[in-house]
Amino acid sequence: MQAMMRFWILCTVMGGCAISSERAEERWDESVDANNSCETADDCVVVYPGCPLGCFTAVSADAEQQATAEAQSIVDAYERGGRSCEYDCLGSLPPTCDAGVCNAAPDDNF
């Protein structure tokens, strides 16, 4: 445990470490889960995090800037390892609020 802590401190001090696509997705899912509550669809917006995080995700409107910054940070960490990826994405329908959670679905007509 102590060795892992030293590793992460070193990574932070040295400008960050690359992360796997799996870890990138985990970090993004944690961020979205913490920032996608709603009462109505008007409480939600769609953000476009980029590869490897998905084409689009719905989050709480008041968390839009935070989510966009977090997505960029995660993508940057993923790309630090020399990785890159690209999606061919469809557009999104307007976000919905389902059981208190913001959601987005692809627009097949896009």
Side-chain angles (χ1 to χ4, degrees):
M1 184 68 163
Q2 194 173 31
M4 181 61 104
M5 184 63 120
R6 277 189 236 149
F7 172 76
W8 285 111
I9 291 170
L10 180 62
C11 285
T12 302
V13 170
M14 298 302 289
C17 293
I19 59 174
S20 68
S21 60
E22 292 82 12
R23 181 62 186 130
E25 291 169 14
E26 288 171 6
R27 280 184 53 190
W28 179 241
D29 289 346
E30 290 167 4
S31 178
V32 170
D33 288 347
N35 293 294
N36 70 348
S37 62
C38 58
E39 291 182 23
T40 70
D42 291 336
D43 297 333
C44 304
V45 295
V46 175
V47 295
Y48 302 89
C51 194
L53 306 178
C55 291
F56 52 82
T57 304
V59 297
S60 299
D62 59 357
E64 180 178 14
Q65 288 182 333
Q66 177 185 345
T68 300
E70 178 69 11
Q72 187 61 56
S73 174
I74 294 169
V75 170
D76 288 349
Y78 171 76
E79 291 178 347
R80 248 180 235 115
R83 297 178 200 96
S84 66
C85 56
E86 193 173 309
Y87 290 139
D88 286 328
C89 295
L90 298 173
S92 169
L93 293 170
T96 60
C97 180
D98 302 312
V101 176
C102 295
N103 289 297
D107 183 350
D108 294 333
N109 296 315
F110 203 78

